[in-house]
Amino acid sequence: MDYTATQSGFRQQPNMRLRNSSVDGSDGSQLFEDTSGTGPAPQPGYRNQQAGAQAAGFPGQSLLSEPMSNLAMAYGTSLATQGREMVDKNLDRFIPISKLKYYFAVDTVYVGKKLGLLVFPYMHENWEVSYQQDTPVAPRFDVNAPDLYIPAMGFITYVLVAGLALGTQNRFSPELLGVQASSALVWLIMEVLAVLLSLYLVTVNTDLTTIDLLAFSGYKYVGMIVGVVAGLLFGRPAYYLSLLWCCVAIFVFMIRTLRLKLLSEAAAEGRLVRGARNQLRMYLTMTIAAAQPIFMYWLTYHLIR
């Protein structure tokens, strides 16, 4: 009996221990996990290492890709720099882009004085451009210096005034206004090219640049605007009178300005009018000045009826 009880108690003790362990396993401290219904689960450490390896990729790939990308970036930067230098060099042969800031260095006082000089140049005495250490001063400090602000604003204002004149005559259309703007721009470019060709044929040594010629040729828009506005306000006779005044004014302005540029070499040598070359320069100066009134009339006569 005692042996049997001992044996039965020995048999029941594991059952009690298993029962207690099953109860205690609910709090996460179970000794063994039942894996009979599922397959072998991957270990967490191995899964994290595998995901990290896939995310990082092959270690040599980053070592190879970074030098290649840096080389491609450096090569592209060098090509862009060379292309920009080539474009700037070719543009500076005809239009010095780097000097455009000089031609727009104006202020309100300069604009007022310059407009007065363009309309009434007869009393002005000193026409020489001031220099500071072999460099011309900015236009806001010298009324004789050429600028591009007045020609640019004059061109835009001329197009607007032309549109207004066409509108008062019931002839306005965007196409016709575009024709007015494009024709004025084409005539301006042709004029500058013709002057450049004439200077090359006459072999004049001058410090005039393409932008200087563009500025001097663009000053005629001021007189054109005055003539068209006078014609719109007071009729056709006022247009002819105001345009005639502005034509004479721009002729005098161009003669007194360009003779210092085109005849500077001859004046320095003391032979201003002597010699065939000097007379050619004088004729060229008068031709450029006389062309301004012709363009002024040609571009405005059809706007007044």
Side-chain angles (χ1 to χ4, degrees):
M1 292 293 291
D2 298 335
Y3 176 76
T4 305
T6 305
Q7 186 178 5
S8 61
F10 178 78
R11 290 176 181 175
Q12 292 177 359
Q13 185 176 0
N15 294 331
M16 294 175 61
R17 188 174 297 174
L18 289 174
R19 193 182 304 118
N20 294 331
S21 64
S22 64
V23 174
D24 296 337
S26 60
D27 60 351
S29 62
Q30 185 176 356
L31 296 177
F32 299 98
E33 185 178 359
D34 186 9
T35 59
S36 60
T38 60
Q43 298 180 1
Y46 178 76
R47 184 170 60 251
N48 293 334
Q49 292 177 0
Q50 185 178 4
Q54 292 178 357
F58 183 65
Q61 183 178 0
S62 61
L63 296 177
L64 293 176
S65 60
E66 291 182 0
M68 293 297 294
S69 61
N70 293 334
L71 180 61
M73 185 179 298
Y75 183 70
T77 304
S78 63
L79 284 180
T81 303
Q82 293 177 1
R84 184 178 59 185
E85 291 178 355
M86 185 178 298
V87 171
D88 294 340
K89 183 178 180 181
N90 292 330
L91 284 177
D92 286 340
R93 294 180 180 178
F94 303 98
I95 300 178
I97 303 299
S98 58
K99 297 181 180 179
L100 282 179
K101 292 183 179 180
Y102 166 81
Y103 293 93
F104 285 94
V106 300
D107 55 7
T108 306
V109 177
Y110 168 81
V111 173
K113 291 182 179 180
K114 195 74 170 188
L115 292 177
L117 184 61
L118 292 173
V119 177
F120 196 81
Y122 310 106
M123 303 300 295
H124 192 67
E125 297 179 356
N126 185 16
W127 293 85
E128 295 183 358
V129 179
S130 301
Y131 283 81
Q132 184 177 5
Q133 297 180 356
D134 297 335
T135 302
V137 299
R140 63 175 176 267
F141 301 118
D142 185 12
V143 70
N144 296 324
D147 71 285
L148 284 179
Y149 178 80
I150 293 178
M153 293 298 103
F155 176 80
I156 296 174
T157 308
Y158 161 74
V159 175
L160 296 178
V161 171
L164 178 62
L166 294 175
T168 56
Q169 302 169 12
N170 295 325
R171 295 189 297 137
F172 176 81
S173 66
E175 294 79 9
L176 188 57
L177 186 62
V179 170
Q180 293 291 328
S182 60
S183 61
L185 185 60
V186 168
W187 280 113
L188 180 64
I189 295 175
M190 291 179 61
E191 178 185 355
V192 173
L193 293 178
V195 174
L196 288 175
L197 180 61
S198 301
L199 292 176
Y200 175 77
L201 295 177
V202 180
T203 63
V204 177
N205 294 326
T206 178
D207 57 350
L208 280 175
T209 63
T210 306
I211 301 182
D212 292 335
L213 295 176
L214 190 64
F216 290 133
S217 300
Y219 286 142
K220 62 176 170 286
Y221 291 117
V222 176
M224 294 164 56
I225 295 170
V226 172
V228 174
V229 171
L232 291 176
L233 294 177
F234 305 106
R236 201 171 184 86
Y239 161 75
Y240 283 113
L241 290 176
S242 59
L243 187 66
L244 178 62
W245 177 274
C246 294
C247 287
V248 175
I250 197 66
F251 179 81
V252 174
F253 174 83
M254 296 294 287
I255 286 290
R256 294 185 177 180
T257 301
L258 292 180
R259 69 184 180 87
L260 298 177
K261 299 290 185 179
L262 302 183
L263 303 174
S264 59
E265 180 183 0
E269 296 176 358
R271 45 189 181 87
L272 186 60
V273 187
R274 301 174 183 176
R277 291 183 58 187
N278 294 332
Q279 290 199 358
L280 286 177
R281 294 171 182 174
M282 181 65 71
Y283 294 153
L284 178 61
T285 303
M286 296 184 65
T287 302
I288 297 173
Q292 307 306 310
I294 297 175
F295 284 119
M296 293 171 65
Y297 177 76
W298 176 259
L299 294 173
T300 57
Y301 79 96
H302 59 280
L303 298 176
I304 304 299
R305 289 186 177 181

